[in-house]
């Protein structure tokens, strides 16, 4: 109902609506309003493909409203099957996330795990082993190349880096990898 009211110009403005649902304190409200009016805010709508079909039309209308009445950057994420619909409705071209190659995956892990208490060679060796084994496990489906998955792997194994690292990950299987990722995701705010 809020989206329908916003797109029909009834009720509060989008910025007022955002401030209300985000429960900003007074300072944050003031800064947000100023930044929003200057076009210095990036608004992320994540998982458009997961909203109820009943809300899709109104949500697209909201995107159109924001596109025409705001100078702020708007990012909408969705799976491929709705990409063309959004491009057509909003008259825009979509961007696609780039899969990290093996070298980039290893470099990401090395950078993420950088620690003055650990030798760089150990970190690089662990990164190479994790990428090698995890890519073998998922049969080169390129799932491991997704930046978010590489970040999850880095988080999961950050406290496991030692000389026995290979023994710990040799028995990796797809179920274990995704079980750990789901556990990490569910406990992110714990």
């Amino acid at each position: 109902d809020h989206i329908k009211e916003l797109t029909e110009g009834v009720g509060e403005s989008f910025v007022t609506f955002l401030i209300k649902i985000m429960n900003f304190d007074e300072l944050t409200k003031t800064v947000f309003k100023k930044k929003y009016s200057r076009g210095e805010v990036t608004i992320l709508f994540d998982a458009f493909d997961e909203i109820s079909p009943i809300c899709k039309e109104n949500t697209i209308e909201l995107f159109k409203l924001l596109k025409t009445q705001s100078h702020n950057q708007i990012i909408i994420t969705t799976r491929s099957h709705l990409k063309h619909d959004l491009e057509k409705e909003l008259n825009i071209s979509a961007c696609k996330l780039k899969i990290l190659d093996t070298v980039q995956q290893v470099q990401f892990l090395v950078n993420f795990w950088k620690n003055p208490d650990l030798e760089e060679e150990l970190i690089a060796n662990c990164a190479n082993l994790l990428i090698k084994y995890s890519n073998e496990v998922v049969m080169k489906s390129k799932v491991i190349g997704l930046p978010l998955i590489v970040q999850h792997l880095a988080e999961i194994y950050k406290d496991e880096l030692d000389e026995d690292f290979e023994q710990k990950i040799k028995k990796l299987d797809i179920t274990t990898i995704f079980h750990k990722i789901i556990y990490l995701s569910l406990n992110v705010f714990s």
Side-chain angles (χ1 to χ4, degrees), residues 111-147:
N111 291 339
F112 190 93
W113 290 337
K114 201 170 275 187
N115 181 336
D117 296 332
L118 296 173
E119 294 179 23
E120 288 181 25
E121 186 177 335
L122 173 69
I123 294 173
N125 185 40
C126 291
N128 278 301
L129 288 169
L130 182 57
I131 295 304
K132 175 187 172 212
Y133 283 112
S134 58
N135 276 315
E136 286 174 6
V137 165
V138 294
M139 296 173 272
K140 304 206 182 280
S141 68
K142 296 189 178 182
V143 169
I144 298 301
L146 295 172

Side-chain angles (χ1 to χ4, degrees), residues 6-22:
L6 288 170
T7 57
E8 292 175 353
V10 179
E12 60 202 11
S13 69
F14 181 73
V15 72
T16 305
F17 170 71
L18 270 182
I19 288 170
K20 187 180 352 176
I21 65 169
M22 297 303 290

Side-chain angles (χ1 to χ4, degrees), residues 142-154:
K142 296 189 178 182
V143 169
I144 298 301
L146 295 172
L148 183 60
I149 300 296
V150 177
Q151 181 177 351
H152 283 326
L153 288 172

Side-chain angles (χ1 to χ4, degrees), residues 44-58:
L44 172 64
F45 292 94
D46 190 25
F48 173 74
D49 54 296
E50 294 180 17
I51 65 172
S52 166
I54 297 168
C55 298
K56 278 191 177 24
E57 188 176 317
N58 285 337

Side-chain angles (χ1 to χ4, degrees), residues 95-106:
C95 299
K96 187 174 181 178
L97 287 179
K98 181 182 176 216
I99 299 293
L100 300 177
D101 64 31
T102 304
V103 173
Q104 292 169 321
Q105 293 170 41
V106 169

Side-chain angles (χ1 to χ4, degrees), residues 149-163:
I149 300 296
V150 177
Q151 181 177 351
H152 283 326
L153 288 172
E155 284 281 346
I156 290 166
Y157 291 102
K158 70 181 175 189
D159 297 326
E160 306 285 330
L161 308 180
D162 59 26
E163 298 299 331

Side-chain angles (χ1 to χ4, degrees), residues 51-95:
I51 65 172
S52 166
I54 297 168
C55 298
K56 278 191 177 24
E57 188 176 317
N58 285 337
T59 305
I60 288 173
E61 291 305 312
L62 174 64
F63 295 156
K64 287 178 182 176
L65 177 76
L66 289 172
K67 184 180 169 214
T68 59
Q69 295 184 2
S70 169
H71 298 290
N72 295 287
Q73 184 177 16
I74 302 165
I75 299 173
I76 305 164
T77 67
T78 189
R79 290 191 179 96
S80 302
H81 68 281
L82 290 177
K83 175 184 147 223
H84 298 293
D85 293 345
L86 282 173
E87 286 178 319
K88 181 181 169 191
E89 288 287 339
L90 302 175
N91 196 26
I92 56 168
S93 296
C95 299

